[in-house]
Amino acid sequence: MTAVPNELNPSRRILLGPGPSNVHPRVLRAMATPLVGHMDPEFIELMEEVKALLRAVFQTENEMTFPVSGTGSAGMETCLVNLLEPGEEILVCINGVFGMRMAEVAKRCGATVHTIETEWGKVFEPEQVKEALSGINPAVVAVVHAETSTGACQPLKPIADLAHEAGALFLADMVTSLGGMPVELDANGVDAAYSGSQKCLSCPPGLAPVSFNEKAMAKITGRSTTVQSWYLDVTLLNQYWGSARVYHHTEPISMNYALREALRLVAEEGLEARFARHRDISAALGAGLQALGLGLISQEGHRLPMMNTVTVPEGADAALVQKRLLSDYKIEVLGGLGRLAGKSWRVGLMGHSGQIENVVVFLTALEEILTDTGALSGPMGAAGAAAKKYRETIKG
Ligand SMILES: *Cc1c(COP(=O)(O)O)cnc(C)c1O
């Protein structure tokens, strides 16, 4: 007989990667509360509360705002599979990994996919999108608001206007931006958007908030073909999350408890205060990195506060630094994705992870590791000296 594994006892981590972020104890507590059935009147009330709280953070009046059961990618798939009919055209703006993923999903929806690209770390200028739109007839124009692979923040309104002039719906990936910066769905003219629970909402991964405005819903209800995915069919999901309450699938109860509590934390802090906290913490990190002589990859003026892509300095081993941060300091950051692999570290300051003490301990650890491995030679500050002493003591 195989031995029963030990009771789960995961290490404490400071999660400063691209998600998941650290989860507030109140959210963990909510997840550990007893289940009610998914058709229980108490759960139905909770569904309504979750929808209202999500509208506030999406900054929208959209009735059709709810969490899809699945991670951020399920939100992406939900939007694309519902908004695109086979044979229709889409323009996807690609400046990182998640734009590439959107193009791939759209292709699998049977759409004719047009793409434009910019250098990774940069954002799209309206002229480039305008040019790409001439001569094509897309049903959807799609962008990534907060490109987690590069740290760039795409301005939405000018692209939304161009999409609408071209008769297309405007779709935005807000997986990383939601809850950490303004997304202003309605003011920006975003017709459909999706997000994930584990980034700036600081919930565990497992739910994908989505929002569709009336124009997007009209497109979906007016389809001439059925949506290829039964599970992600928004018309069916609307009957479950809307007033009809027709059973579709079993909603992940505990995840909804978690999301509700996470959204309550957002509401208590207040959107403006929460956005300011992300900006302030990121500025603190930036100042510290600058003091170490390290730069950021993303375009100046379009940097995300919650995702800082740090340039790996000459002489540093990106993977080794990442490994030591985790083993010696319990800090998770991840390396660059795709074409930024080995060239950057992705330092996330998302939601509950965005605390000044996390920034200070990260900078201390980074300085100590870079100095110990010979990539930095300057004299260390007080905290770095303490970290160095500690390493010498424990490593002998
Ligand atoms: C994380 C992320 C996704 C994918 O979300 P998963 O929860 O990993 O499925 C999509 N887009 C962006 C911008 C992301 O950061």
Side-chain angles (χ1 to χ4, degrees):
M1 220 178 87
T2 44
V4 178
N6 292 335
E7 187 178 350
L8 189 66
N9 185 22
S11 298
R12 226 152 49 93
R13 299 283 192 231
I14 301 175
L15 296 175
L16 302 184
S21 52
N22 284 125
V23 175
H24 195 286
R26 265 172 53 186
V27 174
L28 294 175
R29 231 162 32 231
M31 291 184 85
T33 53
L35 296 198
V36 296
H38 73 118
M39 288 297 189
D40 190 303
E42 284 186 28
F43 191 71
I44 287 170
E45 190 182 324
L46 179 143
M47 289 166 90
E48 288 303 310
E49 289 167 347
V50 166
K51 287 197 290 185
L53 288 162
L54 276 178
R55 279 184 203 112
V57 69
F58 268 123
Q59 302 173 288
T60 183
E61 304 283 327
N62 291 346
E63 181 58 32
M64 197 54 188
T65 303
F66 70 99
V68 169
S69 304
T71 65
S73 304
M76 181 190 291
E77 194 131 9
T78 300
C79 289
L80 290 167
V81 81
N82 282 278
L83 294 177
L84 289 170
E85 293 201 61
E88 283 187 330
E89 296 174 51
I90 179 172
L91 175 67
V92 184
C93 305
I94 301 177
N95 59 350
V97 165
F98 293 104
M100 289 171 68
R101 185 174 297 181
M102 276 214 259
E104 173 62 25
V105 174
K107 196 176 87 189
R108 290 176 188 223
C109 294
T112 300
V113 183
H114 305 279
T115 60
I116 48 172
E117 299 202 28
T118 58
E119 196 183 319
W120 286 27
K122 294 218 155 50
V123 298
F124 288 92
E125 296 300 331
E127 294 70 43
Q128 196 182 348
V129 177
K130 191 168 180 178
E131 198 179 312
L133 282 169
S134 74
I136 65 171
N137 185 25
V140 176
V141 173
V143 303
V144 177
H145 184 210
E147 189 34 274
T148 321
S149 62
T150 70
C153 178
Q154 176 65 48
L156 297 172
K157 186 73 170 62
I159 316 282
D161 291 344
L162 290 169
H164 295 152
E165 278 167 34
L169 293 167
F170 182 57
L171 168 65
D173 174 318
M174 296 182 163
V175 176
T176 282
S177 49
L178 190 74
M181 60 182 292
V183 296
E184 312 221 63
L185 237 63
D186 294 355
N188 279 317
V190 179
D191 299 304
Y194 58 89
S195 189
S197 50
Q198 78 275 24
K199 308 222 176 174
C200 289
L201 298 178
S202 278
C203 199
L207 288 177
V210 295
S211 188
F212 298 87
N213 68 10
E214 280 177 15
K215 226 166 74 190
M217 286 307 291
K219 168 77 204 274
I220 293 170
T221 52
R223 286 176 64 111
S224 57
T225 56
T226 49
V227 173
Q228 297 94 315
S229 168
W230 177 86
Y231 194 69
L232 302 176
D233 185 330
V234 162
T235 311
L236 299 178
L237 289 168
N238 191 20
Q239 291 173 26
Y240 184 41
W241 275 90
S243 52
R245 301 291 170 201
V246 178
Y247 164 66
H248 178 260
H249 65 287
T250 309
E251 200 51 36
I253 308 289
S254 306
M255 275 308 302
N256 276 275
Y257 289 175
L259 182 60
R260 177 181 181 275
E261 194 58 24
L263 290 167
R264 261 164 43 79
L265 283 160
V266 174
E268 283 173 20
E269 184 173 8
L271 286 183
E272 287 314 315
R274 192 174 178 91
F275 300 156
R277 173 165 61 83
H278 281 86
R279 280 196 307 273
D280 295 348
I281 292 294
S282 175
L285 175 71
L289 291 170
Q290 200 175 16
L292 295 178
L294 303 181
L296 294 164
I297 283 181
S298 49
Q299 185 179 345
E300 181 107 54
H302 296 286
R303 288 181 175 155
L304 292 170
M306 71 288 284
M307 177 40 64
N308 306 269
T309 41
V310 182
T311 308
V312 173
E314 204 61 37
D317 177 340
L320 179 72
V321 171
Q322 184 186 329
K323 205 168 122 209
R324 279 211 192 173
L325 282 167
L326 189 67
S327 62
D328 296 357
Y329 294 96
K330 303 177 173 56
I331 297 172
E332 176 180 280
V333 305
L334 292 191
L337 263 188
R339 62 187 74 157
L340 294 177
K343 296 186 184 136
S344 74
W345 295 293
R346 287 178 298 151
V347 183
L349 297 169
M350 299 182 176
H352 190 51
S353 290
Q355 313 288 345
I356 187 63
E357 59 268 35
N358 291 345
V359 170
V360 171
V361 79
F362 167 72
L363 287 167
T364 301
L366 185 64
E367 179 175 31
E368 188 276 320
I369 296 166
L370 290 176
T371 306
D372 188 59
T373 55
L376 276 183
S377 57
M380 285 198 286
K388 177 169 186 282
K389 175 72 184 165
Y390 182 68
R391 178 186 297 286
E392 288 166 357
T393 312
I394 60 164
K395 299 274 150 100

